[in-house]
Amino acid sequence: MASAAERWSVLEELDEWLRLPMALLGLAWLLIVVAELLWGENALLSLASTAVWVIFIAEFALRLLLSPDRSSFLRRNWLTIFALVVPALRFFRALAVLRAARGLRALRLVRIVGTANRSMNALRITMRRRRFGYVLGLTILVIVLGAAGMLSFEPVEEVEGGFTSYGHALWWTAMLVTSIGSDFWPLTTEGRALALLLSIYGLAVFGYITASFASFFIGRDASEADAPLAGSADIARLADEIRELRLQLSHLG
């Protein structure tokens, strides 16, 4: 039996090797889910979705097998497990609970949340050193996925005043995430739940984006020669002067 240290080492090497391929598959999965939400399922999308899902299952099972602490691994990845289980339920649609419209809509909501979680991980892997770029890219992905979900939950054919097109839902979702809002509010339970999650995300993320923009403009102002704020160049110059004063004091001492 391999020791815990050896298993951790193998798991780290596996994560490093699979990082980029799984990130690309995560983004591909996002596009597949958006396409299914917009245009419904067809043979080609179902085949692509099943193929990617099987790869996700195999990757997760391999990581679980190599993990020295499997119970902790399962607790940390509970949302991933949920997202992996939901696609399997399409094979059991003969069950009465899954044939019900409410059951299908609830599963669709869980799938959207799970897809957002996997897309978040994929984007974090590809943009590890670009925090602002990661947040901005993640926001775009959330809006794109959230708009597809809102259109599937609140179409104008089923909900009074609902969305007439994906462009309409995309505009509404962008307004919601940026906390601007609009005159329409979801009427279905699933639409309200998704709108709540989008609002929470917007509140959490746009504070960071606003602070990043403020920091950028403050930095530009501080770089001016007559700026009222001390910039990095001024601080570096003060540090050099303090260092020189310390040297002079040491010589005098």
Side-chain angles (χ1 to χ4, degrees), residues 195-213:
L196 176 62
L197 294 175
L198 290 170
S199 299
I200 293 173
Y201 174 85
L203 290 174
V205 168
F206 267 85
Y208 172 81
I209 294 179
T210 303
S212 298
F213 277 116

Side-chain angles (χ1 to χ4, degrees), residues 36 54 67 71 79 98 139 144 176:
E36 289 182 344
V54 169
S67 177
S71 60
L79 188 54
L98 297 182
T139 302
V144 169
L176 179 68

